[in-house]
Structures are given as C-alpha cells and as structure tokens.
C-alpha cells in the first residue's frame, strides 16, 4: 500500500490516538500481517509521522492483544493457532448469546431502525470484492453486531466481547479476502436482523449462536489458505 494511503494529518493533541487507530486498521485489514515484525521506522514512514506517537500507540495495541512485544526484537503482529482461535470463538459465542438474550428484551424502535439501516448498507456492498468495499463491509459488520447487542446494557460483557472479536478480526478479514464470498455471512445477517426486528427471542438467540459457530467454521476451513509469515525478519 502506498505511503499516502496511510497518511495521518491531525493536530499534535490527537496524533497518538489517530496513529493507534491507523495501525489498528492496517493490522485488521491485512496491511501488516500476523507474525510480521513492526519495524518502527518503517511503520512511522508509512504513516507519515515521527516515531514518538507510534511508541505511544504500540502499548495500547498490545493491550488490545493484536500486537506482542518480543524482548530485544520489538513489536510484532500477534498470531493465533487453530486451538486458540477455537477458544476465542467459544468465549465469543458465550458472550454473544447471553447479550442477545438480554438485548432482544430491551430493544427500542430506535435500535430496530439502526439495525435495519446497517443491514441495508451491508447488502449494497456484499457483491463487491474490491479492498475498499470489503473494508467498509467489515466496519459495518462490527457496527451491525454492536447495534444488536448494545440494548442489553451490559458494558462489561460488551467490553469482553469487543476484545475477543479484535483478537480474531484480522484472520477473518484475510480469509474472506481470499474467498471473496460474503454471501453466506450476509444471508445470516438478514435472518438475524429479521428476528431482531420481529422480537423473536428464541430465534434471535439461536441464530446468534449459529452465526458465531459458522464464522468459526469458515475461518478454520480457510486458514490453511492463509499464507501468514510467522518469522518475518524484514
């Protein structure tokens, strides 16, 4: 990706936060791949900033679990093996189904409108395979799931869920870019949105659980195709 695609032009007060977000987005969208060493000079040059805000951003990314610090080597994008991915999905499924059960009972007309609107935006992008459209679809996907579960009003559950989703998001996005197929996921989203709108609690909880299980299965099936360099010393 060209340097100007990741350029950051913001005031000094917001620069560390913006650098954090830019590096996070770059990792989730496959610009920096699992296992890749993050050479600070190279990353800073790519972002068009000095190393100082980057040094502030990297510990935050480590706290998110998407980079790791190797002694005497520096930071690298985190990696997960299939067993760890399965464990994260187990946690995600537990959190999502409990949040779904609580959210469906508390949803409002505004919540319904938000879910419906996001699902419509996603549908318009589902047949497009260019990188900007895929990145937008994934961002909408995050918003879609948050919009359905936020009515539960369980901030600690939601925080734990967001952490578990972040750990595996880069893998999901990379696998989807290889297959280029959002059809199955989009159909599941339509069913989820319909159950949410209709207030069908049992169906909504069941579909939430099944969607998590199907996402895990698609990822693990596609994982052998994902050529992650786990020993990147460039």
């Amino acid at each position: 990706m060209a340097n100007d695609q990741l350029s950051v032009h913001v005031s000094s007060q917001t620069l560390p936060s913006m650098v954090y977000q830019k590096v996070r987005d770059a990792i989730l969208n496959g610009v920096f791949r699992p296992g890749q060493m993050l050479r600070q000079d190279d990353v800073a040059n790519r972002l068009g900033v000095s190393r100082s805000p980057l040094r502030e951003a990297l510990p935050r990314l480590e706290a998110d679990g998407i980079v790791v610090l190797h002694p005497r080597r520096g930071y690298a994008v985190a990696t997960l093996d299939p067993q760890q991915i399965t464990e994260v999905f187990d946690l995600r499924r537990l959190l999502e189904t409990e949040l779904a059960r609580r959210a469906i009972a508390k949803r409002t007309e505004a919540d319904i409108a938000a879910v419906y609107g996001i699902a419509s935006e996603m549908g318009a992008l589902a047949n497009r395979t260019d990188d900007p459209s895929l990145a937008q679809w994934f961002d909408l996907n995050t918003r879609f799931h948050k919009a359905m579960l936020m009515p539960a009003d369980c901030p600690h559950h939601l925080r734990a869920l967001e952490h578990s989703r972040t750990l595996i998001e880069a893998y999901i996005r990379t696998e989807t870019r290889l297959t280029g197929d959002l059809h199955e996921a989009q159909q599941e989203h339509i069913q989820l949105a319909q159950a949410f709108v209709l207030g069908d609690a049992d169906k909504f909880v069941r579909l939430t659980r099944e969607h998590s299980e199907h996402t895990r299965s698609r990822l693990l099936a596609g994982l052998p195709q994902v050529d992650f360099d786990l020993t990147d010393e460039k």
Side-chain angles (χ1 to χ4, degrees), residues 36-55:
Q36 181 177 346
M37 295 301 300
L38 297 175
R39 308 301 183 193
Q40 292 191 28
D41 286 339
D42 294 341
V43 176
N45 287 337
R46 201 164 200 175
L47 293 172
V49 300
S50 69
R51 289 180 58 181
S52 179
L54 179 60
R55 283 196 297 268

Side-chain angles (χ1 to χ4, degrees), residues 3-59:
N3 288 358
D4 57 359
Q5 289 180 278
L6 289 178
S7 294
V8 180
H9 302 290
V10 292
S11 69
S12 59
Q13 288 126 336
T14 62
L15 190 56
S17 293
M18 292 299 291
V19 170
Y20 159 82
Q21 189 62 51
K22 286 290 185 179
V23 177
R24 186 179 187 277
D25 289 345
I27 291 171
L28 296 185
N29 287 314
V31 177
F32 304 122
R33 298 164 66 81
Q36 181 177 346
M37 295 301 300
L38 297 175
R39 308 301 183 193
Q40 292 191 28
D41 286 339
D42 294 341
V43 176
N45 287 337
R46 201 164 200 175
L47 293 172
V49 300
S50 69
R51 289 180 58 181
S52 179
L54 179 60
R55 283 196 297 268
E56 292 186 48
L58 287 169

Side-chain angles (χ1 to χ4, degrees), residues 106-146:
K106 296 182 179 180
R107 83 201 197 295
T108 65
E109 290 298 324
D111 296 323
I112 291 171
V115 167
Y116 183 82
I118 297 169
S120 297
E121 289 186 68
M122 294 176 74
L125 294 168
N127 294 321
R128 300 173 62 175
T129 58
D130 58 287
D131 281 348
S133 294
L134 283 172
Q136 187 178 356
W137 188 92
F138 279 118
D139 289 341
L140 287 168
N141 180 55
T142 299
R143 287 175 52 199
F144 176 74
H145 285 281
K146 284 183 177 179

Side-chain angles (χ1 to χ4, degrees), residues 23-230:
V23 177
R24 186 179 187 277
D25 289 345
I27 291 171
L28 296 185
N29 287 314
V31 177
F32 304 122
R33 298 164 66 81
Q36 181 177 346
M37 295 301 300
L38 297 175
R39 308 301 183 193
Q40 292 191 28
D41 286 339
D42 294 341
V43 176
N45 287 337
R46 201 164 200 175
L47 293 172
V49 300
S50 69
R51 289 180 58 181
S52 179
L54 179 60
R55 283 196 297 268
E56 292 186 48
L58 287 169
R60 290 183 62 189
L61 293 163
E62 184 182 19
D64 289 344
I66 57 177
V67 305
V68 293
L69 178 61
H70 296 295
R72 297 182 298 279
R73 294 177 60 202
Y75 287 94
V77 182
T79 61
L80 295 173
D81 61 32
Q83 181 177 346
Q84 291 172 316
I85 290 172
T86 298
E87 180 187 358
V88 172
F89 267 102
D90 286 344
L91 175 60
R92 170 178 161 173
R93 185 179 66 250
L94 289 171
L95 290 166
E96 284 184 329
T97 52
E98 178 59 22
L99 284 165
R101 183 182 65 80
R102 300 186 186 194
I104 196 72
K106 296 182 179 180
R107 83 201 197 295
T108 65
E109 290 298 324
D111 296 323
I112 291 171
V115 167
Y116 183 82
I118 297 169
S120 297
E121 289 186 68
M122 294 176 74
L125 294 168
N127 294 321
R128 300 173 62 175
T129 58
D130 58 287
D131 281 348
S133 294
L134 283 172
Q136 187 178 356
W137 188 92
F138 279 118
D139 289 341
L140 287 168
N141 180 55
T142 299
R143 287 175 52 199
F144 176 74
H145 285 281
K146 284 183 177 179
M148 289 190 299
L149 301 179
M150 281 291 289
D153 193 23
C154 298
H156 296 292
H157 283 65
L158 287 165
R159 193 174 300 115
L161 176 60
E162 182 177 0
H163 178 69
S164 69
R165 289 180 64 89
T166 298
L167 291 174
I168 53 180
E169 187 70 11
Y171 287 85
I172 293 173
R173 295 190 184 198
T174 300
E175 186 275 327
T176 302
R177 280 182 168 80
L178 285 174
T179 64
D181 185 10
L182 297 175
H183 179 72
E184 184 176 356
Q186 187 61 26
Q187 287 300 114
E188 292 175 6
H189 289 152
I190 292 171
Q191 293 174 353
L192 279 165
Q194 289 173 341
F196 185 84
V197 169
L198 294 173
D200 189 335
D202 290 341
K203 186 175 183 180
F204 182 60
V205 172
R206 174 176 59 80
L207 290 173
T208 297
R209 181 182 65 253
E210 291 175 353
H211 180 59
S212 182
E213 292 170 348
H214 294 165
T215 303
R216 178 191 61 194
S217 297
R218 286 191 292 266
L219 174 57
L220 292 176
L223 203 59
Q225 305 174 48
V226 181
D227 183 23
F228 292 142
D229 184 356
L230 306 184

